[in-house]
Amino acid sequence: MENRELGRTGRQVGVVGLGAWQLGADWGEVTEDDALATLNTAVDAGVTFIDTADVYGDGRSEQVVGKLIKERPGLTVATKMGRRVPQEASAYTLDNFRAWNDRSRENLGVDTIDLVQLHCPPTAVFSDQAVYDALDSMVEERRIAAYGVSVETCEQALTAIARPGVATVQIILNAFRLKPLEQVLPAAAGAGVGIIARVPLASGLLSGRYDRDTTFGQDDHRNFNRHGESFDVGETFAGVDYETGLAAVERLRSLVPDGMTMAQFALRWIIDQPGVSVVIPGARNQRQAEANAEATRLSPLDEQTHAAVTAVYDELIRPLVHDRW
């Protein structure tokens, strides 16, 4: 697998990583054995970067990842913190960071976490110098090796990129979310900040496996968060309404080269973007993990195909999402 530098962490990681949200909760039940099998298969396929969060399954995802890294040394693990409390800027203090970090280190079974990210905090947090001072203290105390931010909006990303201690920015980037290409990716590249591309398949829509008759379980966020009932609606189907997303997928399907699945096409599109450090698709089983990793070995898409993806976005998706995030 192709390796890329993960921003200011100084680490090299495989360009296709694994997002472990699906192994915690909010996507339907996954047993621990199945979760570990999926993680091991991903690592066998070349994945070296795993992204989790303290809120995924209320720590369950971190615990499963912790079991993996005991057996598979050398991986880079990132977690996130801040979503287990009411979302108020006043909660983002050094004392709280230490408490949240203690819990994550225990879940992961490590003394120092490779990368800790603020988990889509309130906008005011991104401009608060005291927050960055607290994060710097966490590095000095060797609780964390580096820190970054996970953002909802491009404006939040640009604010964070300007801070000298921010190693990475995690942002939604996929064929339904092109706005980060305009300013965020160039700014990150210029500052040496890594870009972690999340929601790469638009919650599975860009896998091409769903249709109007597809149903999702009651414990699946694609059912309970379609209108932002539980968290930012942009995290579910990238904020695109389901019917429009299906229509766009049908347009994109004709662009997929022979020998490539629709999901691999969507991942390859992201890998091709200058400035992306790692893309973190989720996987619920070993087959998905293997197929995702294989995307890095497929040929880059040609200019005409990239232009066609942009045309579909401009016609169907841009009016719905471009100015929102």
Side-chain angles (χ1 to χ4, degrees):
M1 183 181 292
E2 176 190 353
N3 287 326
R4 295 184 182 178
E5 188 169 353
L6 186 61
R8 294 169 175 161
T9 68
R11 292 170 173 264
Q12 295 282 321
V13 297
V15 68
V16 173
L18 179 74
W21 185 10
Q22 290 171 318
L23 306 182
D26 297 331
W27 296 77
E29 181 60 27
V30 177
T31 69
E32 183 174 302
D33 286 347
D34 286 344
L36 284 169
T38 298
L39 287 165
N40 275 293
T41 296
V43 175
D44 289 342
V47 166
T48 61
F49 179 83
I50 299 171
D51 177 85
T52 183
D54 59 3
V55 76
Y56 296 165
D58 196 26
R60 180 173 182 262
S61 178
E62 286 183 329
Q63 291 165 8
V64 174
V65 172
K67 290 184 177 182
L68 173 79
I69 60 179
K70 284 181 180 178
E71 304 297 329
R72 307 294 294 261
L75 302 175
T76 296
V77 173
T79 192
K80 298 183 285 292
M81 65 180 184
R83 301 296 294 188
R84 299 181 65 251
V85 298
Q87 290 304 285
E88 300 171 357
S90 59
Y92 286 75
T93 66
L94 179 56
D95 284 345
N96 280 344
F97 288 176
R98 285 171 173 154
W100 301 341
N101 178 253
D102 284 345
R103 184 174 184 269
S104 288
R105 290 188 300 149
E106 181 178 357
N107 284 340
L108 290 166
V110 299
D111 294 325
T112 304
I113 300 176
D114 299 328
L115 176 66
V116 168
Q117 305 153 94
L118 300 184
H119 198 171
C120 299
T123 296
V125 170
F126 293 95
S127 301
D128 188 345
Q129 180 60 45
V131 169
Y132 298 99
D133 290 343
L135 291 167
D136 287 335
S137 294
M138 299 270 282
V139 174
E140 292 170 4
E141 294 168 3
R142 298 185 179 179
R143 291 170 164 272
I144 61 178
Y147 64 83
V149 296
S150 184
V151 305
E152 296 290 4
T153 71
C154 290
E155 211 49 51
Q156 292 170 346
L158 292 170
T159 300
I161 287 167
R163 297 287 178 163
V166 171
T168 60
V169 167
Q170 183 176 141
I171 193 167
I172 295 176
L173 176 66
N174 59 49
F176 290 169
R177 281 286 193 96
L178 271 59
K179 189 175 180 179
L181 304 182
E182 296 176 353
Q183 297 184 53
V184 173
L185 266 62
V193 172
I195 290 291
I196 301 170
R198 78 171 186 276
V199 195
L201 301 182
S203 307
L205 257 182
L206 285 166
S207 72
R209 295 186 292 111
Y210 304 148
D211 58 29
R212 287 169 179 79
D213 297 323
T214 301
T215 58
F216 301 97
Q218 291 299 309
D219 57 351
D220 191 315
H221 76 101
R222 293 170 293 185
N223 179 33
F224 67 75
N225 194 59
R226 284 202 183 189
H227 305 290
E229 296 92 334
S230 297
F231 42 82
D232 192 283
V233 70
E235 303 290 341
T236 301
F237 301 131
V240 179
D241 75 84
Y242 190 66
E243 293 294 325
T244 301
L246 290 176
V249 166
E250 287 310 305
R251 291 271 298 276
L252 294 172
R253 197 185 301 275
S254 64
L255 305 176
V256 179
D258 291 341
M260 189 180 291
T261 68
M262 183 81 192
Q264 289 170 335
F265 172 82
L267 294 175
R268 187 68 245 185
W269 180 89
I270 298 170
I271 295 167
D272 290 349
Q273 305 305 323
V276 170
S277 305
V278 59
V279 56
I280 50 170
R284 287 175 57 86
N285 55 54
Q286 294 169 275
R287 178 182 55 79
Q288 289 178 0
E290 286 178 331
N292 291 341
E294 185 65 26
T296 191
R297 301 178 180 92
L298 301 172
S299 297
L301 306 175
D302 59 35
E303 292 183 9
Q304 293 85 351
T305 301
H306 277 283
V309 171
T310 301
V312 172
Y313 174 82
D314 286 343
E315 182 178 341
L316 296 179
I317 306 299
R318 178 185 286 269
L320 301 175
V321 306
H322 199 79
D323 294 331
R324 296 185 65 182
W325 293 282

